[in-house]
Amino acid sequence: MRCGVWLIGARGSVATSAVVGAAALASGAIEATGCVTEQAPFRPLRLPGFGELVFGGHDVADTPLAIRAERLVRSGVIPHGLTGTDAVARMLAVTDAAVRPGIDAGADPAASQADLADRLIADIEGFRAGNDLADVVVIDVSSTEPPLRPHPAHAALDDLEAALRGGEPILPPSSLYTYAALRAGCPVIGFTPSTGIRVPALTELARQAALPYAGCDGKTGETLVKAALAPMFAGRSLRVRSWSGTNLLGGGDGETLADPAAAASKIESKRLVHEQVLGYPVSGDVHIHNVPDLGEWKTAWDNIGFEGFFGARMTMQFTWQGCDSALAAPLVLDLARLAIAARQRGLAGPLTDLAFFFKDPIGTDEHGLAAQYGALLSFADRLAAR
Ligand SMILES: NC(=O)c1ccc[n+]([C@@H]2O[C@H](COP(=O)([O-])OP(=O)(O)OC[C@H]3O[C@@H](n4cnc5c(N)ncnc54)[C@H](O)[C@@H]3O)[C@@H](O)[C@H]2O)c1
């Protein structure tokens, strides 16, 4: 059964890599390395096949997807020759034609946010009807926004909808897209640290519409390693005294996070892991630097100071050098398949068992990677039983 994947930020590196990856997987041109849902425990779920995923989305940029994909080839993310295959070229062309103009954070003198939401809803519904899709999942992979300033209209759905009809923008784009997605009857996934569904009126809307959702901020690098290591220190009763991380990244994400306001959202979601797992405050900061020369690659250097028996001081350091979009794209495909399966089996509300995929999982304080993986496998069992 064909299913829709509507990407907010559809022309970005992660989105383009996911679209190319789905077509390449479906045609057998690449292996499913990095795809969690291709592991044996997920086989009984009969998840949508990669070839059954149909992509569209919103973006504020208009660079054709074929050009975005070529840039990813030149920077070494996508293998040479892959974008020239029939399957991938066709997928890029079809998806390109299904990308609609996005909305930005500024006030639009010609339209209220309610009008903009109506247009976003119509885009998603047109995509669903035009492709005869049973389900469409909306996934935010657009540029990270600054944290939200609370507003009284965020509390109750009626108040929010009244405020959307006014002239002032009330919701940041990620939350307006989420509002539109929920109104269009779609499950939503927040792959970025942006506010998205984390507005009380929107979680209420998801509850009323009985839709599943998950987020926030894909866990693909430094935080993935932290989530694996922090439980080790906790389990061995080794006291972590400090944990400091320096992240160097390039690409569009690096450029966005050069803005301290946007970086604040990312740093907050990265900081949570070790404190939640260890259960006590740990000194040290997370730093993010834009290094355009790194292109699509990122480096994380972490220094962990800890102590053992007799208070003996010790240090652990790690360096993670990752290819950002190669790490993120398979997770986007995993999340699309799982959210669609959850929707088809009538699950609603926060999908806390998907915490494995996120830096700042909605609805749970479980940050240990092994425990999160266990929860994901139980989730697969539960889905298989429904
Ligand atoms: N790559 C990873 O490993 C990883 C991990 C976790 C989270 N993320 C997040 O995923 C997101 C995408 O990363 P990327 O590397 O693809 O970035 P990118 O800069 O390449 O792509 C972002 C895209 O979003 C679009 N965009 C910006 N504002 C928009 C708006 N208001 N509406 C619609 N589209 C808009 C841009 O035009 C661009 O095409 C970022 O927020 C990043 O923090 C990435």
Side-chain angles (χ1 to χ4, degrees):
M1 189 195 310
R2 283 165 22 112
C3 301
V5 184
W6 189 262
L7 299 167
I8 310 302
R11 300 190 186 282
S13 297
V14 172
T16 308
S17 303
V19 169
V20 169
L25 283 165
S27 66
I30 60 167
E31 291 182 21
T33 314
C35 292
V36 177
T37 50
E38 284 296 285
Q39 295 171 7
F42 298 89
R43 287 200 194 115
L45 297 186
R46 298 181 316 280
L47 295 171
F50 295 113
E52 292 175 316
L53 301 179
V54 181
F55 293 87
H58 286 115
D59 203 306
V60 290
D62 52 14
T63 314
L65 274 181
I67 291 180
R68 288 295 283 121
E70 274 318 307
R71 283 187 201 154
L72 291 166
V73 171
R74 279 202 302 279
S75 51
V77 180
I78 297 175
H80 279 283
L82 195 59
T83 50
T85 62
D86 283 352
V88 173
R90 199 174 332 111
M91 175 69 106
L92 285 170
V94 169
T95 306
D96 205 46
V99 179
R100 298 282 170 266
I103 49 146
D104 63 23
D108 182 340
S112 67
Q113 282 200 318
D115 297 331
L116 295 175
D118 285 345
R119 206 249 301 154
L120 301 177
I121 295 167
D123 289 341
I124 299 171
E125 288 179 341
F127 171 71
R128 178 170 26 215
N131 290 286
D132 197 17
L133 301 169
D135 287 289
V136 178
V137 56
V138 174
I139 306 185
D140 181 11
V141 282
S142 66
S143 310
T144 296
E145 298 166 355
L148 180 70
R149 280 177 289 118
H151 187 285
H154 296 151
L157 185 54
D158 286 348
D159 293 343
L160 176 69
E161 293 196 314
L164 291 179
R165 290 190 288 274
E168 279 304 303
I170 296 297
L171 289 179
S174 64
S175 298
L176 195 60
Y177 285 120
T178 301
Y179 173 77
L182 296 170
R183 279 281 175 230
C186 301
V188 290
I189 301 288
F191 199 78
T192 81
S194 305
T195 307
I197 200 163
R198 288 177 298 183
V199 167
L202 295 183
T203 50
E204 172 58 17
L205 176 56
R207 194 192 62 75
Q208 286 181 16
L211 287 165
Y213 58 89
C216 285
D217 202 6
K219 185 160 68 193
T220 60
E222 182 197 34
T223 316
L224 177 67
V225 183
K226 277 183 168 178
L229 285 180
M232 175 195 76
F233 288 107
R236 278 292 170 95
S237 296
L238 296 169
R239 183 170 185 83
V240 177
R241 299 172 55 90
S242 67
W243 197 317
S244 312
T246 296
N247 295 266
L248 310 181
L249 66 163
D253 204 17
E255 205 176 311
T256 302
L257 298 176
D259 171 7
S265 300
K266 193 61 111 180
I267 287 169
E268 179 57 21
S269 68
K270 278 174 165 288
R271 200 186 49 78
L272 289 166
V273 176
H274 51 259
E275 294 206 358
Q276 292 280 1
V277 173
L278 299 169
Y280 50 85
V282 173
S283 68
D285 290 319
V286 176
H287 299 275
I288 298 180
H289 303 282
N290 177 28
V291 181
D293 186 48
L294 283 177
E296 297 291 326
W297 264 256
K298 63 181 168 193
T299 296
W301 289 315
D302 277 41
N303 186 89
I304 307 151
F306 63 100
E307 67 183 29
F309 211 32
F310 305 124
R313 298 271 188 106
M314 293 168 258
T315 303
M316 177 183 180
Q317 297 175 342
F318 71 80
T319 306
W320 171 273
Q321 289 178 288
C323 176
D324 242 2
S325 298
L327 290 163
L331 303 189
V332 169
L333 300 177
D334 285 329
L335 287 163
R337 302 170 95 191
L338 290 168
I340 286 169
R343 166 76 175 145
Q344 288 174 342
R345 287 156 172 90
L347 295 188
L351 299 175
T352 53
D353 293 331
L354 302 190
F356 182 64
F357 294 98
F358 299 109
K359 291 189 189 75
D360 181 9
I362 295 178
T364 172
D365 288 334
E366 181 54 76
H367 284 268
L369 194 66
Q372 291 175 337
Y373 186 60
L376 182 65
L377 295 183
S378 307
F379 178 73
D381 287 346
R382 284 206 310 285
L383 280 186
R386 283 174 90 98

